[in-house]
Amino acid sequence: MGFPDQIERTVELAHPPAKVWAALTTAEGLGTWFGHQAKIDLRPGGAAEMTWTSGDRAEMRIERVDEPTTFGFTWHIYGLPAEDERRTYVEFTLEPVDAGTRLTVVESGFAQLPDGEYAKAFGANTEGWASELGELVDYLDAA
């Protein structure tokens, strides 16, 4: 493998883990900072869906729920046809720190893609996580 398999970002949030957990795992939270509307069945094997005003939609399968420290899901890989069954795995890890919560997000599974698809998906999601985590900070700070 000549390229990274995962995207990893860590952000320090000036909010307690319970508040960050709710932002990540509730329809209200996800539908405000990550999408424009969301549904979530918060259990391993449960489904989640986010929609945007643009008409875009993301469907996720909940894989891990270890409240209040770890939340993980799989979802479709950006740039692949809708019928393609390959997925990446996204995991959020929350760690209490003096200032609030250290949140780490890791999205893995990009190595399964050939070069052209890899470049498109990895680049878009790297940009996407930078933007989305900024929106999470704004959401938490406004609440």
Side-chain angles (χ1 to χ4, degrees):
M1 177 176 75
F3 45 81
D5 181 52
Q6 68 182 28
I7 299 165
E8 181 172 343
R9 296 286 178 265
T10 299
V11 61
E12 301 277 331
L13 303 165
H15 302 280
K19 185 174 180 179
V20 177
W21 180 263
L24 298 174
T25 62
T26 65
E28 179 185 341
L30 285 172
T32 303
W33 72 270
F34 204 174
H36 289 111
Q37 187 173 13
K39 297 182 226 174
I40 185 167
D41 178 8
L42 188 61
R43 62 180 176 80
E49 177 183 84
M50 289 184 301
T51 55
W52 288 265
T53 54
S54 64
D56 290 337
R57 187 176 79 169
E59 295 179 358
M60 296 100 79
R61 175 183 154 85
I62 308 303
E63 302 293 344
R64 187 169 177 193
V65 180
D66 295 328
E67 186 175 354
T69 60
T70 312
F71 171 58
F73 61 83
T74 54
W75 65 352
H76 183 265
I77 300 173
Y78 175 78
L80 297 183
E83 64 277 3
D84 193 304
E85 294 189 16
R86 290 177 285 181
R87 302 285 183 264
T88 55
Y89 175 67
V90 176
E91 187 170 275
F92 294 94
T93 304
L94 291 76
E95 177 185 352
V97 293
D98 289 339
T101 305
R102 178 176 297 122
L103 176 67
T104 301
V105 60
V106 177
E107 183 174 9
S108 59
F110 293 96
Q112 65 186 306
L113 301 173
D115 289 348
E117 292 171 342
Y118 168 84
K120 183 176 185 177
F122 192 83
N125 287 30
T126 297
E127 247 181 63
W129 284 119
S131 172
E132 295 300 342
L133 289 175
E135 290 181 26
L136 173 62
V137 170
D138 292 345
Y139 168 75
L140 289 167
D141 288 350

